[in-house]
Amino acid sequence: MADCIFCKIANGEIPSTKVYEDEHVLAFRDIHPLAPKHVVIIPKRHVQNLNEIDQLTEAEQLALLHACKKTAALAGIEVSGYRIASNCGPDADQSVQHLHFHVLGGGKLSVNMA
Ligand code: AMP
């Protein structure tokens, strides 16, 4: 998608601090962290949100799930704990219209984070 900021990050047009990458997904540090550790995981191929996840292949969908675990391990929060969140649509205040999962941790999380 030409004007999608996460597509631009995925193809290197906009810089990001990469945490994890494979063939299907990219994980990078959130620019406005809501927790001591806050990483965003995206599929490299554009879909708007979870409502469109069927447009991704099963390999892409599995890669997203595995990236959650791998990102938590790389961020050093797999034992202390973390939250995975995905805002979907207007009532959830989804601000970037490219599917993404927030990985939050590194300290006690409040209920309304992400
Ligand atoms: P959401 O509100 O769930 O759509 O989350 C979008 C997230 O993307 C927010 O937490 C933003 O801080 C984050 N974000 C937006 N632009 C960038 C960027 N260029 N690099 C890293 N994170 C970003």
Side-chain angles (χ1 to χ4, degrees):
M1 281 266 290
D3 59 352
C4 170
I5 192 164
F6 284 179
C7 284
K8 288 181 177 166
I9 288 175
N11 66 31
E13 285 174 62
I14 290 179
S16 68
T17 305
K18 185 166 57 178
V19 174
Y20 171 76
E21 181 174 20
D22 69 19
E23 160 185 20
H24 300 302
V25 308
L26 178 67
F28 53 90
R29 288 227 285 266
D30 196 291
I31 204 166
H32 295 123
L34 299 173
K37 300 284 173 76
H38 186 174
V39 179
V40 176
I41 300 173
I42 63 168
K44 290 184 174 177
R45 253 178 356 110
H46 184 93
V47 292
Q48 186 178 357
N49 56 37
L50 267 176
N51 291 337
E52 295 188 350
I53 198 158
D54 289 347
Q55 294 176 25
L56 297 176
T57 65
E58 287 187 5
E60 288 170 321
Q61 294 177 36
L62 259 183
L64 283 167
L65 191 57
H66 283 285
C68 292
K69 186 189 94 153
K70 288 172 185 159
T71 296
L74 288 166
I77 55 175
E78 78 274 38
V79 174
S80 53
Y82 56 95
R83 177 176 299 149
I84 306 293
S86 188
N87 295 317
C88 184
D91 281 357
D93 288 331
Q94 180 182 0
S95 64
V96 177
Q97 305 304 310
H98 180 130
L99 174 63
H100 54 281
F101 295 91
H102 298 265
V103 183
L104 299 144
K108 198 73 185 161
L109 301 173
S110 70
V111 284
N112 57 358
M113 255 178 198

